[in-house]
Amino acid sequence: MAASEAPPAQATVEVELPPPPAKDSEDVTLDAILKHLGQFGRFQLIIFMLICLPMMFHAMFSVTYVFTAATVSHRCNIAECDTPESAFYEPHTEWSIPRHGRDLDACNRYTNLELPQWNQSVAEDICLPIHFTNISEACPDNKFVFRDNEVTISNDFGIFCDDEWKLSMVGTINNLGQFFGIPIGGFVADRYGRSFSIALGGILGAVLGVIRSFSPSYGWFLVFEFLDNMTSSTLYSTCFVIGIELVGPKRRVLACSVITVFYAVGEVLLAMAAKAFPDWRILLRITYMPSLILLAYFWILPESVRWLLTHVNKRELPEGMLDKLVLANRDKLEQSAESRFPIREAFKNFKWRIANCSLCWIVHVLVYYGLSLNVVLLDGDKYNNFAYVALVEIPGFFMPLLIMDRIGRRYSLCGLMLASGLCCVGTIFAGADQPLLQLVLFLVGKLTITASFQVLYFFASEIYPTNLRNSLLSFCSMMGRFGSMLAPQTPLLAKYYASAPAMLFAGAAIVSGLLTLFFPETTNVVLPTTVQEADAIGVKKKPSQGKELDLVGATSQSAVISGVILV
């Protein structure tokens, strides 16, 4: 009797084995189909070039406020000395204007003892050193002399001195718009399609950006700054997702790294456009109007996955492969539904891990954007400085690929954050007397925080269980938005103490960098599926699991590579 029951038992075990044979598994995976069709053929190349264009537009849209809401260099108009033809630097500025280091005070002048009795109609010269005291006073009637021909909302709407917090507020409103826009854009992309989301976001951003260039007041400017970034904030994330879905696994890491390079290219193009067109209204029109070309993406950017699978690179699929793919993914969805884990329980089990990850994300965003915003305050050409900071991001996108597997995730993250913090400390000691050294330290600091951000994306995707990974990663990213809202306010600190922003960045990066050592190491560790597996990260595995670890580790790298600007 036992012998007669043996064959059915064996048959049942064969069917229900958890890991199916390698060949069968390969036959029903989308990656296997992409391998069959071609991992990066002519079709993928064309689409790849198309998605790089909105990536550049998003870079320009998200940081235009660096130039449109910039503080213009100005000084008090000395009525008894200046004429309509007066330049920024005049002989009388040596005794009529206080100095901050080598710079003229923007908002104060020295009092003139003769000014109360001065009759302008009488040809009497009271613009002599003996007439001025060393007591400063605010510029009367907010009349100023400007150094350059630059026009921003500062001198267009009369925002000077005590009101300059309004200029920093523009950057905060910009990031607030992205804070609300990213989840809305994600919903639109999932509900109505990737190409629809890109085309709609690009068109709405373009229209609102052009409308913003006609703003009659500061209030209207803020309204359209918010709406513009809320509607266009989805461009980066959607392009990145298409890049991941577009190519096969063998080419995915390189392709997605190259996509992020175009974000840096967009920042460089913005800096060059701002240099060529120093009027903020013209700059917005020059920047936003070309993105109207994204209207064509409603028709030229493919959407249907089935169409892609059956037409890519002019190859046909074997009969039945698509059916196998659908059945395999249906099983996976059922398994996922059965293993849901309440988000409230996640915070109970991983509260310290989530808190540390959220703090790390806030610090990364604060330092990443803060260095870009404050580099324009350094000596030298602010447009070139901004372009240099953008270009140095490019090697930062690829650096983690060289170091993460060699020294591990934790030490890579910690080391890069400490390096960025120490560079910020170095800028304090370099001072304005060594502008070249200060700029180099800024660039190295930006390079290392960019690379560190890349590592953080890898790391954060590997320390949470599968059914909570996306939710908790999104939560940490959302928390990072507080850093991006704070970053535009840091230039205000420089008005009270020139090195204050660098001290903030250095302290935050060093403290958070050291705290990353409390994370578990995830190099070559299987991506955790359950809460128990996530808790057990860091425990040594048996040698027999080595091959599985390598396979899953490689998959995790492909899935999250190059997501730094997503926040």
Side-chain angles (χ1 to χ4, degrees):
M1 183 175 180
S4 64
E5 293 178 355
Q10 291 174 359
T12 302
V13 171
E14 266 184 57
V15 172
E16 295 181 357
L17 271 175
K23 187 177 185 304
D24 291 341
S25 175
E26 184 180 12
D27 287 341
V28 294
T29 61
L30 182 57
D31 282 347
I33 293 176
L34 286 173
K35 289 179 182 177
H36 178 84
L37 296 171
Q39 298 198 52
F40 199 82
R42 182 178 62 183
F43 176 81
Q44 283 103 329
L45 179 61
I46 293 173
I47 304 303
F48 185 81
M49 294 172 64
L50 287 175
I51 63 177
C52 288
L53 192 61
M55 181 71 77
M56 290 191 296
F57 287 140
H58 175 68
M60 292 187 282
F61 295 174
S62 61
V63 291
T64 52
Y65 68 89
V66 174
F67 300 106
T68 59
T71 302
V72 292
S73 297
H74 60 275
R75 65 167 175 85
C76 291
N77 178 70
I78 310 299
E80 62 271 33
C81 301
D82 285 318
T83 66
E85 292 77 28
S86 292
F88 185 74
Y89 292 105
E90 293 283 350
H92 69 79
T93 58
E94 293 295 326
W95 58 79
S96 62
I97 303 288
R99 285 185 175 267
H100 288 299
R102 295 180 300 173
D103 300 323
L104 297 179
D105 191 306
C107 302
N108 295 284
R109 55 161 290 172
Y110 286 129
T111 58
N112 189 317
L113 296 175
E114 302 297 326
L115 191 59
Q117 296 83 29
W118 181 53
N119 187 344
Q120 193 170 3
S121 61
V122 179
E124 180 183 2
D125 186 7
I126 61 170
C127 186
L128 297 174
I130 58 173
H131 298 138
F132 289 85
T133 70
N134 59 356
I135 301 174
S136 60
E137 63 179 359
C139 301
D141 302 324
N142 276 341
K143 293 183 178 179
F144 302 96
V145 175
F146 300 98
R147 187 184 66 184
D148 309 308
N149 63 345
E150 182 181 15
V151 179
T152 73
I153 64 170
S154 174
N155 48 353
D156 203 351
F157 298 145
I159 303 173
F160 303 106
C161 302
D162 292 340
D163 291 332
E164 285 186 358
W165 61 269
K166 294 181 179 179
L167 302 179
S168 299
M169 184 57 66
V170 173
T172 299
I173 294 298
N174 174 294
N175 285 281
L176 190 62
Q178 295 187 53
F179 180 83
F180 288 103
I182 287 176
I184 295 174
F187 171 79
V188 171
D190 288 338
R191 182 72 180 269
Y192 301 103
R194 314 272 194 255
S195 61
F196 180 86
S197 176
I198 289 178
L200 182 65
I203 294 302
L204 289 178
V207 172
L208 291 169
V210 172
I211 293 176
R212 179 153 54 99
S213 71
F214 294 96
S215 298
S217 65
Y218 173 76
W220 281 110
F221 182 90
L222 278 190
V223 168
F224 287 107
E225 180 79 36
F226 176 87
L227 294 175
D228 160 24
N229 285 277
M230 186 181 71
T231 55
S232 63
S233 59
T234 186
L235 289 178
Y236 179 92
S237 56
T238 308
C239 289
F240 183 75
V241 168
I242 290 179
I244 289 222
E245 297 175 343
L246 178 69
V247 300
K250 191 174 181 180
R251 298 281 186 263
R252 191 170 293 150
V253 172
L254 178 62
C256 292
S257 297
V258 172
I259 288 175
T260 56
V261 168
F262 282 87
Y263 188 93
V265 172
E267 291 180 312
V268 174
L269 292 177
L270 173 65
M272 296 300 99
K275 187 174 185 177
F277 303 97
D279 187 313
W280 70 273
R281 296 182 186 272
I282 298 176
L283 174 62
L284 286 180
R285 294 163 197 167
I286 293 294
T287 302
Y288 280 85
M289 290 185 70
S291 63
L292 291 171
I293 196 175
L294 296 182
L295 178 65
Y297 279 42
F298 281 119
W299 298 279
I300 67 175
L301 192 61
E303 186 61 59
S304 170
V305 174
R306 182 172 291 271
W307 186 91
L308 290 174
L309 291 173
T310 55
H311 293 81
V312 170
N313 299 331
K314 299 182 179 179
R315 298 187 186 183
E316 295 182 358
L317 290 175
E319 186 176 353
M321 184 175 280
L322 283 176
D323 295 332
K324 291 182 179 180
L325 176 66
V326 171
L327 290 173
N329 282 280
R330 182 182 300 165
D331 293 339
K332 292 179 181 179
L333 288 173
E334 290 174 357
Q335 294 172 9
S336 175
E338 293 171 359
S339 59
R340 286 175 185 164
F341 190 75
I343 193 70
R344 183 169 56 185
E345 294 296 320
F347 279 88
K348 179 180 178 181
N349 284 270
F350 302 110
K351 55 180 177 295
W352 295 116
R353 194 176 294 183
I354 294 171
N356 198 1
C357 186
S358 298
L359 174 64
C360 194
W361 217 292
I362 292 171
V363 170
H364 272 85
V365 177
L366 171 66
V367 178
Y368 178 86
Y369 283 109
L371 289 176
S372 294
L373 297 176
N374 284 272
V375 75
V376 299
L377 303 179
L378 298 180
D379 288 341
D381 189 307
K382 70 177 183 179
Y383 306 104
N384 290 343
N385 289 347
F386 187 85
Y388 297 150
V389 163
L391 286 172
V392 82
E393 294 177 19
I394 296 176
F397 293 141
F398 296 95
M399 184 184 295
L401 303 179
L402 303 176
I403 63 173
M404 280 196 307
D405 291 332
R406 289 180 171 84
I407 65 175
R409 308 289 200 260
R410 279 192 312 167
Y411 293 123
S412 296
L413 188 60
C414 177
L416 289 168
M417 291 187 74
L418 292 179
S420 183
L422 292 175
C423 286
C424 293
V425 172
T427 62
I428 299 174
F429 291 100
D433 294 334
Q434 302 182 72
L436 180 59
L437 176 59
Q438 199 174 42
L439 177 60
V440 169
L441 289 170
F442 252 81
L443 296 180
V444 177
K446 185 62 181 292
L447 168 67
T448 49
I449 200 64
T450 300
S452 179
F453 219 153
Q454 297 290 82
V455 177
L456 180 61
Y457 259 90
F458 281 111
F459 209 2
S461 70
E462 297 171 340
I463 59 178
Y464 300 122
T466 299
N467 55 347
L468 293 170
R469 185 171 298 121
N470 189 70
S471 297
L472 294 181
L473 187 66
S474 298
F475 176 81
C476 294
S477 177
M478 182 183 71
M479 295 300 293
R481 277 293 164 192
F482 290 104
S484 64
M485 293 178 198
L486 177 61
Q489 302 298 325
T490 56
L492 289 177
L493 296 176
K495 297 184 179 299
Y496 301 97
Y497 181 60
S499 299
M503 293 173 65
L504 174 63
F505 302 149
I510 292 172
V511 171
S512 183
L514 293 174
L515 289 176
T516 60
L517 295 176
F518 289 96
F519 281 123
E521 181 55 65
T522 61
T523 302
N524 291 329
V525 172
V526 176
L527 286 177
T529 303
T530 65
V531 176
Q532 291 75 17
E533 291 176 356
D535 280 332
I537 292 177
V539 178
K540 291 185 178 180
K541 305 294 181 181
K542 295 180 180 179
S544 61
Q545 294 176 310
K547 292 183 179 179
E548 184 183 4
L549 300 183
D550 292 341
L551 176 61
V552 179
T555 304
S556 115
Q557 290 188 19
S558 297
V560 296
I561 180 69
S562 305
V564 62
I565 313 299
L566 198 60
V567 301

